[in-house]
């Protein structure tokens, strides 16, 4: 089974500052990687995904993430945050090799991003 | 608009009762999933179904049951055997090899 570690449970940052939310996953032959955002009392919304190709992926709301296979990481970044980015962010991984159950996602425990004015 | 509808948004259960959470999707997705979310624990998979009339246990299936009689519906029953049912429950669906789409969740509480 896959596992995902989100290294920070809470990240406070001031508005317009850059932010990085860290995510590491357990190694596998190949993986699909995702970042989701959750606003209070709502479901999860897909921010971005890595399925194949370029290791730098761009998502919605100005977020981007870089897939680093050697470090088994998929950190999420934004160069300048807004107060509206305050939410919980989840990193998730799905195995892409033949032995994996297609679509089976493993989630990290989440990182609460709080943006202060 | 296409999407996933979970109902009700809030649900209260008495001790010893079974309750059923509804999940309906009109996205024509084959796969559907149920997750449980507790503070600080992320999402944990309860059950999933990749095709009608078939489903598999996830990591925390004990005390839960599901059915998949129609492609668009995947109800979850929280039975009295689930000793700690208070949580936020999320339903998701996806086409093959594509990211999951989530509903807005049902918050279950014990009276």
């Amino acid at each position: 089974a896959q596992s995902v570690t989100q290294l920070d449970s809470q990240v406070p940052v001031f508005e317009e500052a850059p932010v990085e939310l860290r995510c590491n996953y357990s190694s596998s032959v190949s993986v699909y990687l995702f970042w989701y955002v959750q606003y209070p009392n709502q479901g999860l919304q897909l921010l971005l995904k890595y399925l194949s190709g370029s290791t730098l992926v761009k998502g919605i709301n100005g977020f981007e993430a870089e897939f680093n296979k050697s470090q088994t990481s998929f950190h999420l970044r934004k160069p300048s945050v807004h107060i509206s980015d305050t939410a919980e962010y989840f990193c998730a991984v799905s195995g892409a090799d033949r032995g994996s159950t297609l679509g089976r996602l493993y989630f990290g425990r989440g990182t609460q991003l709080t943006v202060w004015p | 608009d296409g999407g996933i509808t979970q109902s009700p948004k809030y649900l209260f259960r008495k001790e010893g009762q079974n309750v059923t959470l509804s999940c309906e999707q009109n996205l024509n997705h084959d796969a559907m999933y149920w997750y449980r979310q507790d503070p600080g624990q992320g999402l944990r998979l309860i059950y999933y179904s990749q095709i009608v009339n078939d489903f598999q246990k996830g990591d925390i299936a004990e005390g839960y049951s599901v059915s998949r009689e129609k492609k668009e519906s995947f109800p979850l029953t929280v039975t009295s055997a689930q000793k700690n049912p208070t949580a936020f429950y999320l339903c998701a669906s996806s086409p093959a090899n594509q990211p999951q789409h989530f509903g807005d969740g049902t918050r279950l509480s014990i009276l």
Side-chain angles (χ1 to χ4, degrees):
Chain A
Q2 300 282 349
S3 67
V4 178
T5 302
Q6 291 185 242
L7 295 157
D8 305 295
S9 60
Q10 300 204 28
V11 173
V13 65
F14 286 110
E15 195 173 20
E16 297 183 8
V19 71
E20 178 180 81
L21 306 184
R22 297 180 293 169
C23 173
N24 287 89
Y25 62 93
S26 61
S27 179
S28 178
V29 176
S30 57
V31 293
Y32 299 138
L33 293 156
F34 309 88
W35 275 99
Y36 285 88
V37 60
Q38 184 181 35
Y39 300 99
N41 293 313
Q42 292 186 23
L44 275 65
Q45 179 183 1
L46 181 68
L47 269 181
L48 49 79
K49 63 188 179 192
Y50 171 78
L51 302 182
S52 65
S54 173
T55 57
L56 182 65
V57 293
K58 294 188 183 298
I60 61 171
N61 301 340
F63 284 94
E64 64 181 31
E66 186 157 18
F67 169 54
N68 188 320
K69 189 173 182 179
S70 62
Q71 297 187 4
T72 61
S73 68
F74 191 55
H75 301 332
L76 181 70
R77 301 186 182 100
K78 186 170 183 178
S80 175
V81 294
H82 303 289
I83 289 179
S84 60
D85 292 323
T86 295
E88 189 151 26
Y89 292 78
F90 291 94
C91 181
V93 63
S94 176
D97 54 287
R98 284 188 177 185
S100 300
T101 301
L102 297 177
R104 173 73 163 88
L105 278 179
Y106 297 85
F107 284 87
R109 295 191 171 203
T111 297
Q112 174 64 43
L113 173 65
T114 302
V115 181
W116 298 97
Chain B
D1 282 1
I4 301 174
T5 301
Q6 289 189 243
S7 61
K9 193 167 179 65
Y10 299 95
L11 187 58
F12 299 92
R13 192 191 94 169
K14 293 182 180 179
E15 296 279 353
Q17 273 186 340
N18 293 352
V19 290
T20 297
L21 283 61
S22 171
C23 178
E24 303 278 331
Q25 55 101 357
N26 59 5
L27 299 167
N28 200 34
H29 290 169
D30 287 316
M32 296 188 74
Y33 311 82
W34 273 107
Y35 294 92
R36 172 180 170 138
Q37 186 178 17
D38 297 280
Q41 296 213 35
L43 277 71
R44 293 181 290 170
L45 184 65
I46 305 172
Y47 270 98
Y48 62 102
S49 167
Q50 294 178 299
I51 197 169
V52 174
N53 292 322
D54 187 43
F55 49 83
Q56 288 79 40
K57 292 182 179 180
D59 299 322
I60 56 165
E62 186 175 351
Y64 300 97
S65 65
V66 293
S67 63
R68 187 86 187 277
E69 297 175 1
K70 297 186 296 183
K71 187 175 186 177
E72 58 268 25
S73 178
F74 192 40
L76 173 74
T77 297
V78 184
T79 75
S80 57
Q82 171 50 240
K83 296 306 178 189
N84 185 23
T86 296
F88 191 49
Y89 291 87
L90 286 162
C91 178
S93 70
S94 70
N97 295 327
Q98 291 297 321
Q100 294 177 22
H101 298 248
F102 284 80
D104 281 340
T106 293
R107 190 167 297 280
L108 176 62
S109 301
I110 301 302
L111 292 177

